[in-house]
Structures are given as structure tokens and as C-alpha cells.
Amino acid sequence: MFKNLIRIGVNLSLFNSTYVLCKSVKDEKLPHYHFLNDQDLNKLLKKHQNLSIIDRTYTEHILSIIRDVETETVEFRKNSDRLIRILIEQAISQIEKKKHVKQSPLGYYDAHEVKFEDEEICFVSILRSGNAFLFEGLKAVSGASIGQILIQRNEDTALPSYLFQKLPSNIKDQQVILMDPMLATGSSATLALRILKNQGVKQENITFLTLVSCEQGIEKLFREFPKIKIITAQVDPILLKDFHYLAPGIGNFGDRYFGTDKKSQQTVQQQ
Amino acid sequence: MLKNITKLAFCLGLVNGTFVVCSQQKNNNVLNRNEQYNFLSENELHNLMKKHKNLSILNRKQTEHILSLIRDTNADIVSFRKNADRLIRILMEQALCQIEKKKYVKQSPLGLYEANEVKYDDEEICIVSILRSGNAFLNEGLKVICGASIGQILIQRNEETSMPKYYFEKLPEDINQQQIILVDPMLASGGSASMALQLLLNKGVKQENIIFLTLVSCEQGLNKVFQQFPNIKIITAQVDPILLKDINYLAPGIGDFGDRYFGTIKKNTHPIKV
């Protein structure tokens, strides 16, 4: 009887070890991404003069919560709004300012104020994900006009298709802040920028805001539109070729913010 | 010579007279923007509510002031948005209060009490907005229901034929199990609303689970929507008396809510201060 017991024990331990081995092999399939270091980021900034990357200490914590696959919708929205607010304040700080002399309760001071009024600033959002930026945008600039361009990326070909637009009629006289959470291949952004160009907007008047971008996307935009400004919170290292998704990225920002795809908690894991 | 002058004066008088008459005629054909519209009386509103059991019109005292500021054509964009948001918040709270509630017994610091709470979690409520104007509701909607999912349907009305055209939709996958709050600021002919509702029904949503919110509506629109979908609930802030036939706009209405809220058409251009 002891022999049988020993046999059962050996079999069980064999099963157990194969299970542990297989599990660890499967876990190894989940890639571990490392972010770009400060040197690489500095090189990027030198290469493109009109690019701004927000200071890492500002954005590390918030971005880490947003990227987390376990984050619930409410937390995701709260933290995205925080990050979006930081980006929008950065964008407004880069708009041309004018010097006045004003009077404080104790004396005169040099006043540097944004040259344009609220109504001369226009937020253009690339539907659907770009709409998430509008909530915070309106809090920061209450009188801004809002334009919308609907561009959807065909999931199979990854090519963008233009569906619809509604822009202010005087948009060529306005300071435009174009918004889209992700900048991957840069094709949707390029399409939107072309539409703005056709409406007569000058490149110097456009600031493009995005949460996460990648080198390829930034280069493509700057090649065709060298004079726009781009402000991004972080530059991710990898653009996955087949899916054209950023890695580690955020997943599908629109689905996560608007809560339309609860099953997409498992982000793209195949390579 | 005097005769010639009198002839000249006479001719001028004739020309002037015909000009005045013609311009008056022209004004009669063009939309007279100075016309005075009177709102429906309490009686008529009561009749409407008796006719449609699932219709709720907000108390006039709550909405009079705010709606009057929104309708004003001289309202600048900041005050338009502020007041629209106030009204939208009131509508949202009204919608939430009509969702099914469940009874519990809970404990306050001093003892037990009967708790009537909304039966569903935040995530089981979905706000579906009819782009583009419906998006204005999302701002306040997310403040009230932080965890709600958001669906979007893009329907644009062809300005010439007034027929709605469907472009695009993005709805949660499990939408047939959710409580839906459909939002669109105006309910005129009811064409876009019917199209959106039909879309939702095709996805498997039950009529009883849909609440339709709108700022201003009219009788024809309400009749049409209730005829096709008798089991949905509609909450509106005010019912306007007239639906202008040619352009299918409400009168006095708000104008084009989307353009006014998003600032895409500037009527009075202010000179740029240097």
C-alpha cells in the first residue's frame, strides 16, 4: 500500500510541476515594456523644435493609473480629466501673449496676458475619443467655440475614413487646439489637419494635444506640417505593426472613457 | 418749368409708393422675426399630459427663468452654456428620479429607516446622445452619474428635405440590459428621435427602459414619437406651440441649439480688440 501511495504522490507532484511550468511559460508571453529614458526624450525634443513633452514627474502617477487594465471607469475618467486639464493649460500657455501695464492694489506691474479672447480660441476634437477633452476644455476656457471632425479608423486596414465635420464658419481666424488622445500612425491626425488646412487655418495657429504618442506618428505629422505645435504627455516606445496600437499604450481610449466596451479589459496581448 | 417739376415730383412719389408697397409684400412672405409667440396655457399642458401618460413636463416655475435666458437671441455663449447646463442638470435629476427604485432598511446614526434607492448601479445606466447637439448633455450627465456608460448616435438633419440621415453609432455591447437615457435638446418633427429609438430597439433594448430627455418639444413631435413607441417615457422642460412647416423648426424655440452651444455660427461679430 505504501508503494501505491508513493506512486500517487509522485504523479501528483509531476502534474503540479508541469502546471507551474506551463503557467510560467504562459506568463512569460506577456511582454514587459520599458519607457524611453530621458536621453531619448531629449533627443526627440532637439530634433523637433515644436514638440513639447510634459515633465515626467507631473504625469507618471496619473498615466500609470490610466494605463492599468484593472482601472474602473470612474477612476479612469477622473484621472484622464486631470491629465487633460494639465495638457490644456500647457497649450494655453503657449498661445501668443501681449504685454500691458496694469495696476495692482499697491502699484503698477507688467501684465502678460493671452492676446486672444475666449471666443477666438477653438477646440477641434477628433470624434469620438477626442470628445473626452471637451469637458475639461470648457472648464478652462468657458467661451471657446467647439468644432468636431468624425474620423473612424477601419479596424482591418487601419486606414482612417472621414465621415462628418462641423466647424465654426470663421475658423481660419481662430487659434485652434486640435485634440485626440492617441497618436499612433498619425493618419487620423493627418487627415484632420488637412481638413483644417482646407478651411484656411494657418499651421502656426494650430496646437495638437495628445496623451500618448510615438516617434513614428510625431515624425509623420511634422514632415507634412512642420509648423504646428504638438504637446504630448508621454512618448511610448513601440508601435505594434499589425494592430497599429501603441505599446504599452492605454488600449482603446474612447471605449474605456465612454464605457462602451467592458470586455476590452484584456488589451492586445498577441505580438 | 413748374409743370415739369410737379411731374417729376409726381413720378418720384409713385416710384416711392410702389417701393414701399413691394417691400411690405416681401416682408409678408419672409419669416417675420418680430412676430410674437404666446406659450401654451396651463389647460393645454394638462390636456397633453392626460393624453400621454408617459409624458412629464417640468414645473413652469423651475424652468421659466432659465429658458427665457436661453431663448434670448442676444445671449452670449458663456451665459448660454451656463444656463443650458443648469436646465440639463434639472432634467437629468428628473430622469434619475423616474428610474425604478428598490426598498431597503438602512441605518442612520440614530436608528433604522426605510431606504428607497435606485435599483441599478451607475454602470447599468447608459446615456445615449444624438450627436451633435446631444453631446451638450454629457457634461452635466457625467457629473450626476459618474460611472455611466455613454453611447453616441450621429444623425444629421438634411436642411432642405428635413429628413434625418444616419451616419454613425457607437453603443455599449450590453446595451440591451441597460437603463437608457436618450438625450437630444429639441424635439421638432420627431424624425431624428424616431430614427434613434428604432436603432435602439434593433439592438434589443426594451421600450420601458428608455427615458427620452429634451429641452423644448412640440405637440406634433410628441404625438409622433408616442405613436410609434408608446412605452417610453419622455421628459421635457417646455412644450412650444408652433412647428414651422417649411423649415421644421420650433417657434419660438431656441434656434439651432448645437450651433449656439458649440459656438459654430457667430451671428454678431465683435470687433477684435487690439
Side-chain angles (χ1 to χ4, degrees), chain A residues 77 128 131 142 144 146 258 260, chain B residues 81 135 146 148 150 152 262:
Chain A
R77 281 180 184 155
R128 177 184 65 117
N131 264 7
S142 12
I146 294 178
F258 293 108
T260 42
Chain B
R81 280 178 182 156
N135 266 5
C146 323
I150 295 180
Q152 296 181 332
F262 292 109

Side-chain angles (χ1 to χ4, degrees), chain A residues 50 91 94-96 116 172 174-177 193 197 200-208 225-230:
Chain A
N50 284 334
Q94 295 197 355
I95 297 183
E96 209 178 321
F116 304 99
K172 59 181 184 321
Q174 301 209 312
Q175 303 294 307
V176 176
I177 301 183
L193 284 165
K197 197 166 126 183
V201 188
K202 292 188 196 151
Q203 280 188 41
E204 303 85 54
N205 288 347
I206 303 181
T207 307
F208 181 61
F225 304 95
K227 294 198 186 140
I228 68 173
K229 298 186 204 74
I230 298 185

Side-chain angles (χ1 to χ4, degrees), chain B residues 55-73:
Chain B
L55 170 68
S56 308
I57 305 177
L58 291 182
N59 190 337
R60 180 176 288 215
K61 287 192 194 153
Q62 259 191 322
T63 58
E64 266 181 327
H65 169 81
I66 308 177
L67 262 176
S68 131
L69 288 173
I70 297 180
R71 292 184 196 271
D72 187 1
T73 183

Side-chain angles (χ1 to χ4, degrees), chain B residues 80-89 136 139-140 261:
Chain B
F80 184 86
R81 280 178 182 156
K82 210 166 55 171
N83 289 300
D85 281 345
R86 273 183 70 188
L87 194 52
I88 290 167
R89 184 66 170 259
N139 204 352
E140 288 294 321
Y261 192 95

Side-chain angles (χ1 to χ4, degrees), chain B residues 165-179:
Chain B
K165 185 172 167 196
Y166 159 78
Y167 279 79
F168 157 83
E169 56 115 272
K170 205 97 188 203
L171 298 169
E173 288 188 5
D174 53 352
I175 194 174
N176 52 1
Q177 294 156 7
Q178 301 208 316
Q179 302 294 309

